[in-house]
Amino acid sequence: EEEEEEFIRIRIDDNGSGVHPNEFEKIFHPFYRVDEARTRTTGGTGLGLAIVSNVVKEHQGKVWAEESELGGLAVTIALPLWLNK
Ligand SMILES: Nc1ncnc2c1ncn2[C@@H]1O[C@H](COP(=O)(O)OP(=O)(O)OP(=O)(O)O)[C@@H](O)[C@H]1O
Ligand SMILES: [Mg+2]
Protein backbone atom coordinates (compact mmCIF):
# COMPACT_ATOMS: atom_id res chain seq x y z
CA GLU A 1 0.00 0.00 0.00
CA GLU A 2 0.93 3.69 -0.07
CA GLU A 3 2.38 4.95 -3.34
CA GLU A 4 2.77 1.48 -4.81
CA GLU A 5 5.43 0.67 -2.25
CA GLU A 6 4.98 -2.23 0.06
CA PHE A 7 4.74 -1.39 3.72
CA ILE A 8 4.26 -3.55 6.73
CA ARG A 9 2.10 -2.02 9.44
CA ILE A 10 2.38 -2.77 13.12
CA ARG A 11 -0.46 -1.29 15.16
CA ILE A 12 -0.71 -1.36 18.93
CA ASP A 13 -4.10 -0.54 20.46
CA ASP A 14 -4.82 -0.16 24.14
CA ASN A 15 -7.80 0.62 26.35
CA GLY A 16 -5.96 3.01 28.66
CA SER A 17 -6.51 6.70 29.25
CA GLY A 18 -5.42 7.70 25.74
CA VAL A 19 -4.23 11.22 24.94
CA HIS A 20 -6.05 14.29 23.65
CA PRO A 21 -5.89 14.66 19.84
CA ASN A 22 -3.80 17.82 20.43
CA GLU A 23 -1.07 15.55 21.77
CA PHE A 24 -0.97 12.94 18.99
CA GLU A 25 2.15 14.51 17.45
CA LYS A 26 3.70 15.99 20.57
CA ILE A 27 4.11 12.66 22.36
CA PHE A 28 6.85 11.81 19.84
CA HIS A 29 8.94 14.83 20.88
CA PRO A 30 11.89 14.18 23.22
CA PHE A 31 11.08 14.61 26.92
CA TYR A 32 7.41 15.37 26.22
CA ARG A 33 5.03 13.86 28.74
CA VAL A 34 1.33 14.66 28.71
CA ASP A 35 0.81 14.72 32.44
CA GLU A 36 3.58 16.87 33.88
CA ALA A 37 2.47 16.02 37.40
CA ARG A 38 3.39 12.38 36.82
CA THR A 39 6.93 13.17 35.79
CA ARG A 40 8.53 12.57 39.16
CA THR A 41 6.35 9.72 40.37
CA THR A 42 5.84 7.42 37.42
CA GLY A 43 9.39 7.08 36.26
CA GLY A 44 9.23 7.69 32.53
CA THR A 45 11.55 10.19 30.90
CA GLY A 46 9.55 10.99 27.79
CA LEU A 47 12.14 9.48 25.49
CA GLY A 48 10.51 6.20 24.50
CA LEU A 49 8.38 7.42 21.60
CA ALA A 50 11.05 9.92 20.46
CA ILE A 51 13.45 6.99 20.05
CA VAL A 52 10.77 5.01 18.20
CA SER A 53 10.20 8.00 15.92
CA ASN A 54 13.91 8.34 15.11
CA VAL A 55 14.39 4.63 14.44
CA VAL A 56 11.33 4.50 12.19
CA LYS A 57 12.53 7.59 10.29
CA GLU A 58 15.95 6.01 9.72
CA HIS A 59 14.13 3.05 8.16
CA GLN A 60 12.14 5.42 5.93
CA GLY A 61 8.95 4.50 7.71
CA LYS A 62 6.19 6.41 9.46
CA VAL A 63 4.75 6.30 12.94
CA TRP A 64 1.65 8.03 14.22
CA ALA A 65 -0.81 8.02 17.10
CA GLU A 66 -4.58 8.14 16.97
CA GLU A 67 -7.62 7.30 19.00
CA SER A 68 -8.16 3.59 19.50
CA GLU A 69 -11.50 1.86 19.14
CA LEU A 70 -10.62 0.23 22.45
CA GLY A 71 -10.89 3.62 24.14
CA GLY A 72 -7.20 4.34 24.59
CA LEU A 73 -4.35 5.09 22.22
CA ALA A 74 -3.40 3.40 18.97
CA VAL A 75 0.15 3.73 17.66
CA THR A 76 0.92 2.52 14.15
CA ILE A 77 4.37 1.92 12.70
CA ALA A 78 4.60 1.57 8.91
CA LEU A 79 7.90 0.27 7.57
CA PRO A 80 8.79 -0.12 3.89
CA LEU A 81 9.64 -3.70 3.00
CA TRP A 82 12.31 -2.39 0.64
CA LEU A 83 14.57 0.56 1.42
CA ASN A 84 15.11 3.28 -1.18
CA LYS A 85 18.86 3.66 -1.22
N1 LIG B 1 -0.37 4.23 25.25
C1 LIG B 1 -0.43 5.45 25.80
N2 LIG B 1 -1.57 5.90 26.40
C2 LIG B 1 -1.65 7.13 26.94
N3 LIG B 1 -0.62 8.02 26.93
C3 LIG B 1 0.53 7.62 26.36
C4 LIG B 1 0.70 6.34 25.78
N4 LIG B 1 1.96 6.24 25.27
C5 LIG B 1 2.54 7.42 25.55
N5 LIG B 1 1.69 8.25 26.20
C6 LIG B 1 1.97 9.64 26.62
O1 LIG B 1 3.05 10.11 25.85
C7 LIG B 1 4.13 10.49 26.69
C8 LIG B 1 5.44 10.20 25.98
O2 LIG B 1 5.61 8.79 25.87
P1 LIG B 1 7.07 8.19 25.88
O3 LIG B 1 6.98 6.71 25.75
O4 LIG B 1 7.88 8.95 24.87
O5 LIG B 1 7.63 8.62 27.31
P2 LIG B 1 7.43 7.93 28.75
O6 LIG B 1 6.74 6.61 28.61
O7 LIG B 1 6.81 8.96 29.62
O8 LIG B 1 8.93 7.72 29.22
P3 LIG B 1 9.98 6.64 28.66
O9 LIG B 1 9.35 5.93 27.51
O10 LIG B 1 11.16 7.47 28.24
O11 LIG B 1 10.25 5.78 29.83
C9 LIG B 1 3.90 9.72 27.98
O12 LIG B 1 4.48 10.36 29.09
C10 LIG B 1 2.39 9.72 28.08
O13 LIG B 1 1.94 10.97 28.59
MG1 LIG C 1 7.39 5.14 27.18
Side-chain angles (χ1 to χ4, degrees), residues 35-70:
D35 186 353
E36 296 288 338
R38 298 194 326 169
T39 303
R40 295 281 175 248
T41 51
T42 56
T45 57
L47 285 176
L49 287 174
I51 292 168
V52 169
S53 177
N54 282 328
V55 171
V56 167
K57 207 174 286 176
E58 287 294 321
H59 287 271
Q60 297 170 26
K62 292 172 198 159
V63 59
W64 65 92
E66 62 199 313
E67 197 178 317
S68 170
E69 287 161 18
L70 301 182

mmCIF file of all heavy atoms in Angstrom, residues 35-70:
data_model
loop_
_atom_site.group_PDB
_atom_site.id
_atom_site.type_symbol
_atom_site.label_atom_id
_atom_site.label_comp_id
_atom_site.label_asym_id
_atom_site.label_seq_id
_atom_site.Cartn_x
_atom_site.Cartn_y
_atom_site.Cartn_z
ATOM 1 N N ASP A 35 1.156 14.328 31.080
ATOM 2 C CA ASP A 35 0.809 14.719 32.440
ATOM 3 C C ASP A 35 2.077 15.100 33.195
ATOM 4 O O ASP A 35 2.782 14.257 33.722
ATOM 5 C CB ASP A 35 0.088 13.574 33.154
ATOM 6 C CG ASP A 35 -0.413 13.981 34.529
ATOM 7 O OD1 ASP A 35 -0.074 15.105 34.975
ATOM 8 O OD2 ASP A 35 -1.127 13.186 35.145
ATOM 9 N N GLU A 36 2.344 16.389 33.242
ATOM 10 C CA GLU A 36 3.583 16.869 33.879
ATOM 11 C C GLU A 36 3.659 16.428 35.342
ATOM 12 O O GLU A 36 4.722 16.194 35.878
ATOM 13 C CB GLU A 36 3.656 18.399 33.806
ATOM 14 C CG GLU A 36 3.757 18.953 32.396
ATOM 15 C CD GLU A 36 5.125 18.701 31.769
ATOM 16 O OE1 GLU A 36 6.090 18.484 32.511
ATOM 17 O OE2 GLU A 36 5.208 18.711 30.539
ATOM 18 N N ALA A 37 2.491 16.341 35.974
ATOM 19 C CA ALA A 37 2.471 16.020 37.397
ATOM 20 C C ALA A 37 3.007 14.614 37.664
ATOM 21 O O ALA A 37 3.451 14.310 38.767
ATOM 22 C CB ALA A 37 1.054 16.152 37.950
ATOM 23 N N ARG A 38 2.953 13.763 36.626
ATOM 24 C CA ARG A 38 3.393 12.376 36.823
ATOM 25 C C ARG A 38 4.900 12.237 36.676
ATOM 26 O O ARG A 38 5.455 11.191 36.972
ATOM 27 C CB ARG A 38 2.745 11.458 35.784
ATOM 28 C CG ARG A 38 1.243 11.397 35.861
ATOM 29 C CD ARG A 38 0.715 10.231 35.058
ATOM 30 N NE ARG A 38 1.544 10.002 33.863
ATOM 31 C CZ ARG A 38 1.445 8.941 33.104
ATOM 32 N NH1 ARG A 38 0.589 8.002 33.401
ATOM 33 N NH2 ARG A 38 2.205 8.798 32.039
ATOM 34 N N THR A 39 5.534 13.296 36.202
ATOM 35 C CA THR A 39 6.928 13.173 35.789
ATOM 36 C C THR A 39 7.811 12.560 36.863
ATOM 37 O O THR A 39 8.620 11.687 36.587
ATOM 38 C CB THR A 39 7.504 14.546 35.386
ATOM 39 O OG1 THR A 39 6.674 15.053 34.354
ATOM 40 C CG2 THR A 39 8.903 14.406 34.861
ATOM 41 N N ARG A 40 7.650 13.033 38.093
ATOM 42 C CA ARG A 40 8.535 12.568 39.158
ATOM 43 C C ARG A 40 8.118 11.212 39.723
ATOM 44 O O ARG A 40 8.934 10.479 40.237
ATOM 45 C CB ARG A 40 8.567 13.598 40.297
ATOM 46 C CG ARG A 40 9.183 14.913 39.887
ATOM 47 C CD ARG A 40 10.708 14.858 39.856
ATOM 48 N NE ARG A 40 11.257 16.106 39.345
ATOM 49 C CZ ARG A 40 11.892 16.205 38.174
ATOM 50 N NH1 ARG A 40 12.070 15.153 37.432
ATOM 51 N NH2 ARG A 40 12.350 17.360 37.767
ATOM 52 N N THR A 41 6.836 10.898 39.640
ATOM 53 C CA THR A 41 6.351 9.724 40.367
ATOM 54 C C THR A 41 6.246 8.474 39.510
ATOM 55 O O THR A 41 6.305 7.371 40.035
ATOM 56 C CB THR A 41 4.963 9.997 40.980
ATOM 57 O OG1 THR A 41 4.124 10.510 39.956
ATOM 58 C CG2 THR A 41 5.067 10.997 42.113
ATOM 59 N N THR A 42 6.098 8.611 38.222
ATOM 60 C CA THR A 42 5.843 7.417 37.420
ATOM 61 C C THR A 42 7.044 6.974 36.605
ATOM 62 O O THR A 42 6.964 6.032 35.828
ATOM 63 C CB THR A 42 4.647 7.624 36.468
ATOM 64 O OG1 THR A 42 4.908 8.771 35.658
ATOM 65 C CG2 THR A 42 3.369 7.815 37.254
ATOM 66 N N GLY A 43 8.153 7.651 36.763
ATOM 67 C CA GLY A 43 9.395 7.077 36.264
ATOM 68 C C GLY A 43 9.795 7.382 34.846
ATOM 69 O O GLY A 43 10.978 7.496 34.568
ATOM 70 N N GLY A 44 8.867 7.515 33.932
ATOM 71 C CA GLY A 44 9.233 7.694 32.529
ATOM 72 C C GLY A 44 9.998 8.984 32.297
ATOM 73 O O GLY A 44 9.911 9.930 33.079
ATOM 74 N N THR A 45 10.776 8.996 31.209
ATOM 75 C CA THR A 45 11.553 10.191 30.905
ATOM 76 C C THR A 45 10.978 10.961 29.718
ATOM 77 O O THR A 45 11.393 12.088 29.465
ATOM 78 C CB THR A 45 13.002 9.809 30.544
ATOM 79 O OG1 THR A 45 12.960 8.908 29.444
ATOM 80 C CG2 THR A 45 13.704 9.158 31.712
ATOM 81 N N GLY A 46 10.071 10.340 28.990
ATOM 82 C CA GLY A 46 9.549 10.992 27.791
ATOM 83 C C GLY A 46 10.412 10.766 26.566
ATOM 84 O O GLY A 46 10.311 11.495 25.590
ATOM 85 N N LEU A 47 11.251 9.760 26.625
ATOM 86 C CA LEU A 47 12.145 9.478 25.489
ATOM 87 C C LEU A 47 11.693 8.302 24.633
ATOM 88 O O LEU A 47 12.110 8.171 23.491
ATOM 89 C CB LEU A 47 13.570 9.217 25.992
ATOM 90 C CG LEU A 47 14.349 10.454 26.436
ATOM 91 C CD1 LEU A 47 15.705 10.063 27.004
ATOM 92 C CD2 LEU A 47 14.523 11.431 25.268
ATOM 93 N N GLY A 48 10.856 7.435 25.200
ATOM 94 C CA GLY A 48 10.505 6.197 24.501
ATOM 95 C C GLY A 48 10.008 6.414 23.082
ATOM 96 O O GLY A 48 10.554 5.878 22.117
ATOM 97 N N LEU A 49 8.977 7.231 22.932
ATOM 98 C CA LEU A 49 8.384 7.418 21.601
ATOM 99 C C LEU A 49 9.269 8.262 20.690
ATOM 100 O O LEU A 49 9.215 8.117 19.467
ATOM 101 C CB LEU A 49 6.993 8.046 21.732
ATOM 102 C CG LEU A 49 5.910 7.106 22.258
ATOM 103 C CD1 LEU A 49 4.614 7.863 22.498
ATOM 104 C CD2 LEU A 49 5.672 5.946 21.282
ATOM 105 N N ALA A 50 10.104 9.145 21.278
ATOM 106 C CA ALA A 50 11.046 9.919 20.457
ATOM 107 C C ALA A 50 12.071 8.981 19.823
ATOM 108 O O ALA A 50 12.452 9.149 18.657
ATOM 109 C CB ALA A 50 11.735 10.983 21.302
ATOM 110 N N ILE A 51 12.501 7.985 20.580
ATOM 111 C CA ILE A 51 13.446 6.989 20.052
ATOM 112 C C ILE A 51 12.765 6.172 18.956
ATOM 113 O O ILE A 51 13.334 5.948 17.882
ATOM 114 C CB ILE A 51 13.984 6.093 21.193
ATOM 115 C CG1 ILE A 51 14.875 6.928 22.126
ATOM 116 C CG2 ILE A 51 14.751 4.901 20.627
ATOM 117 C CD1 ILE A 51 15.231 6.238 23.436
ATOM 118 N N VAL A 52 11.531 5.749 19.223
ATOM 119 C CA VAL A 52 10.767 5.013 18.204
ATOM 120 C C VAL A 52 10.683 5.835 16.919
ATOM 121 O O VAL A 52 10.947 5.345 15.816
ATOM 122 C CB VAL A 52 9.338 4.686 18.710
ATOM 123 C CG1 VAL A 52 8.456 4.174 17.570
ATOM 124 C CG2 VAL A 52 9.400 3.676 19.848
ATOM 125 N N SER A 53 10.360 7.119 17.074
ATOM 126 C CA SER A 53 10.195 8.001 15.922
ATOM 127 C C SER A 53 11.492 8.098 15.116
ATOM 128 O O SER A 53 11.482 8.031 13.880
ATOM 129 C CB SER A 53 9.766 9.378 16.429
ATOM 130 O OG SER A 53 9.652 10.283 15.365
ATOM 131 N N ASN A 54 12.621 8.244 15.804
ATOM 132 C CA ASN A 54 13.912 8.336 15.110
ATOM 133 C C ASN A 54 14.272 7.043 14.387
ATOM 134 O O ASN A 54 14.744 7.073 13.250
ATOM 135 C CB ASN A 54 15.027 8.699 16.096
ATOM 136 C CG ASN A 54 15.034 10.174 16.434
ATOM 137 O OD1 ASN A 54 14.678 11.008 15.609
ATOM 138 N ND2 ASN A 54 15.432 10.503 17.644
ATOM 139 N N VAL A 55 14.053 5.927 15.050
ATOM 140 C CA VAL A 55 14.388 4.634 14.438
ATOM 141 C C VAL A 55 13.534 4.406 13.194
ATOM 142 O O VAL A 55 14.041 4.024 12.135
ATOM 143 C CB VAL A 55 14.203 3.473 15.448
ATOM 144 C CG1 VAL A 55 14.336 2.130 14.759
ATOM 145 C CG2 VAL A 55 15.206 3.588 16.591
ATOM 146 N N VAL A 56 12.250 4.695 13.321
ATOM 147 C CA VAL A 56 11.335 4.498 12.186
ATOM 148 C C VAL A 56 11.736 5.401 11.014
ATOM 149 O O VAL A 56 11.739 4.985 9.858
ATOM 150 C CB VAL A 56 9.878 4.751 12.631
ATOM 151 C CG1 VAL A 56 8.952 4.866 11.436
ATOM 152 C CG2 VAL A 56 9.421 3.641 13.561
ATOM 153 N N LYS A 57 12.117 6.650 11.326
ATOM 154 C CA LYS A 57 12.526 7.595 10.291
ATOM 155 C C LYS A 57 13.767 7.085 9.563
ATOM 156 O O LYS A 57 13.857 7.152 8.341
ATOM 157 C CB LYS A 57 12.803 8.964 10.925
ATOM 158 C CG LYS A 57 12.597 10.122 9.981
ATOM 159 C CD LYS A 57 12.734 11.464 10.706
ATOM 160 C CE LYS A 57 11.527 11.754 11.591
ATOM 161 N NZ LYS A 57 11.712 13.001 12.372
ATOM 162 N N GLU A 58 14.721 6.555 10.316
ATOM 163 C CA GLU A 58 15.949 6.011 9.724
ATOM 164 C C GLU A 58 15.640 4.860 8.769
ATOM 165 O O GLU A 58 16.406 4.584 7.845
ATOM 166 C CB GLU A 58 16.923 5.531 10.818
ATOM 167 C CG GLU A 58 17.607 6.657 11.577
ATOM 168 C CD GLU A 58 18.540 7.478 10.701
ATOM 169 O OE1 GLU A 58 19.225 6.886 9.846
ATOM 170 O OE2 GLU A 58 18.563 8.710 10.856
ATOM 171 N N HIS A 59 14.543 4.173 9.024
ATOM 172 C CA HIS A 59 14.133 3.054 8.164
ATOM 173 C C HIS A 59 13.143 3.506 7.091
ATOM 174 O O HIS A 59 12.499 2.682 6.450
ATOM 175 C CB HIS A 59 13.515 1.934 9.014
ATOM 176 C CG HIS A 59 14.530 1.167 9.812
ATOM 177 N ND1 HIS A 59 15.181 0.065 9.317
ATOM 178 C CD2 HIS A 59 15.029 1.381 11.055
ATOM 179 C CE1 HIS A 59 16.021 -0.394 10.230
ATOM 180 N NE2 HIS A 59 15.952 0.391 11.305
ATOM 181 N N GLN A 60 13.024 4.831 6.927
ATOM 182 C CA GLN A 60 12.144 5.418 5.925
ATOM 183 C C GLN A 60 10.686 5.013 6.123
ATOM 184 O O GLN A 60 9.925 4.832 5.167
ATOM 185 C CB GLN A 60 12.623 5.063 4.502
ATOM 186 C CG GLN A 60 14.014 5.635 4.220
ATOM 187 C CD GLN A 60 14.632 5.104 2.928
ATOM 188 O OE1 GLN A 60 13.908 4.715 2.009
ATOM 189 N NE2 GLN A 60 15.945 5.095 2.859
ATOM 190 N N GLY A 61 10.324 4.859 7.393
ATOM 191 C CA GLY A 61 8.949 4.499 7.712
ATOM 192 C C GLY A 61 8.202 5.673 8.328
ATOM 193 O O GLY A 61 8.674 6.813 8.310
ATOM 194 N N LYS A 62 7.022 5.384 8.814
ATOM 195 C CA LYS A 62 6.193 6.410 9.464
ATOM 196 C C LYS A 62 5.618 5.840 10.744
ATOM 197 O O LYS A 62 5.351 4.629 10.830
ATOM 198 C CB LYS A 62 5.023 6.806 8.559
ATOM 199 C CG LYS A 62 5.428 7.553 7.304
ATOM 200 C CD LYS A 62 4.223 7.714 6.384
ATOM 201 C CE LYS A 62 4.682 8.035 4.973
ATOM 202 N NZ LYS A 62 3.647 7.719 3.973
ATOM 203 N N VAL A 63 5.414 6.713 11.707
ATOM 204 C CA VAL A 63 4.746 6.304 12.936
ATOM 205 C C VAL A 63 3.781 7.406 13.340
ATOM 206 O O VAL A 63 4.084 8.590 13.182
ATOM 207 C CB VAL A 63 5.761 5.984 14.062
ATOM 208 C CG1 VAL A 63 6.651 7.174 14.397
ATOM 209 C CG2 VAL A 63 5.059 5.471 15.300
ATOM 210 N N TRP A 64 2.620 7.023 13.790
ATOM 211 C CA TRP A 64 1.649 8.033 14.218
ATOM 212 C C TRP A 64 0.737 7.456 15.296
ATOM 213 O O TRP A 64 0.617 6.232 15.457
ATOM 214 C CB TRP A 64 0.821 8.531 13.038
ATOM 215 C CG TRP A 64 -0.059 7.497 12.397
ATOM 216 C CD1 TRP A 64 -1.365 7.230 12.709
ATOM 217 C CD2 TRP A 64 0.305 6.608 11.335
ATOM 218 N NE1 TRP A 64 -1.833 6.221 11.913
ATOM 219 C CE2 TRP A 64 -0.831 5.822 11.051
ATOM 220 C CE3 TRP A 64 1.477 6.389 10.604
ATOM 221 C CZ2 TRP A 64 -0.821 4.826 10.065
ATOM 222 C CZ3 TRP A 64 1.473 5.399 9.625
ATOM 223 C CH2 TRP A 64 0.331 4.640 9.362
ATOM 224 N N ALA A 65 0.115 8.392 16.033
ATOM 225 C CA ALA A 65 -0.811 8.015 17.098
ATOM 226 C C ALA A 65 -2.205 8.489 16.730
ATOM 227 O O ALA A 65 -2.372 9.495 16.036
ATOM 228 C CB ALA A 65 -0.379 8.648 18.421
ATOM 229 N N GLU A 66 -3.188 7.753 17.176
ATOM 230 C CA GLU A 66 -4.581 8.142 16.974
ATOM 231 C C GLU A 66 -5.437 7.507 18.052
ATOM 232 O O GLU A 66 -4.949 6.723 18.864
ATOM 233 C CB GLU A 66 -5.056 7.738 15.571
ATOM 234 C CG GLU A 66 -5.028 6.249 15.324
ATOM 235 C CD GLU A 66 -5.048 5.901 13.835
ATOM 236 O OE1 GLU A 66 -5.864 6.474 13.099
ATOM 237 O OE2 GLU A 66 -4.251 5.035 13.418
ATOM 238 N N GLU A 67 -6.705 7.865 18.016
ATOM 239 C CA GLU A 67 -7.623 7.301 18.999
ATOM 240 C C GLU A 67 -7.868 5.831 18.683
ATOM 241 O O GLU A 67 -8.041 5.456 17.521
ATOM 242 C CB GLU A 67 -8.938 8.078 18.913
ATOM 243 C CG GLU A 67 -9.841 7.922 20.098
ATOM 244 C CD GLU A 67 -11.094 8.782 19.940
ATOM 245 O OE1 GLU A 67 -10.971 9.941 19.503
ATOM 246 O OE2 GLU A 67 -12.189 8.268 20.231
ATOM 247 N N SER A 68 -7.884 5.011 19.715
ATOM 248 C CA SER A 68 -8.159 3.587 19.503
ATOM 249 C C SER A 68 -9.632 3.279 19.701
ATOM 250 O O SER A 68 -10.299 3.878 20.547
ATOM 251 C CB SER A 68 -7.349 2.746 20.491
ATOM 252 O OG SER A 68 -7.782 1.397 20.432
ATOM 253 N N GLU A 69 -10.115 2.317 18.945
ATOM 254 C CA GLU A 69 -11.496 1.857 19.140
ATOM 255 C C GLU A 69 -11.677 1.211 20.513
ATOM 256 O O GLU A 69 -12.793 1.061 21.003
ATOM 257 C CB GLU A 69 -11.870 0.849 18.052
ATOM 258 C CG GLU A 69 -12.073 1.491 16.700
ATOM 259 C CD GLU A 69 -11.993 0.468 15.567
ATOM 260 O OE1 GLU A 69 -12.127 -0.737 15.845
ATOM 261 O OE2 GLU A 69 -11.782 0.896 14.414
ATOM 262 N N LEU A 70 -10.557 0.825 21.121
ATOM 263 C CA LEU A 70 -10.619 0.228 22.453
ATOM 264 C C LEU A 70 -10.772 1.276 23.551
ATOM 265 O O LEU A 70 -10.901 0.942 24.719
ATOM 266 C CB LEU A 70 -9.354 -0.604 22.722
ATOM 267 C CG LEU A 70 -9.076 -1.757 21.762
ATOM 268 C CD1 LEU A 70 -7.816 -2.509 22.198
ATOM 269 C CD2 LEU A 70 -10.261 -2.706 21.680
#
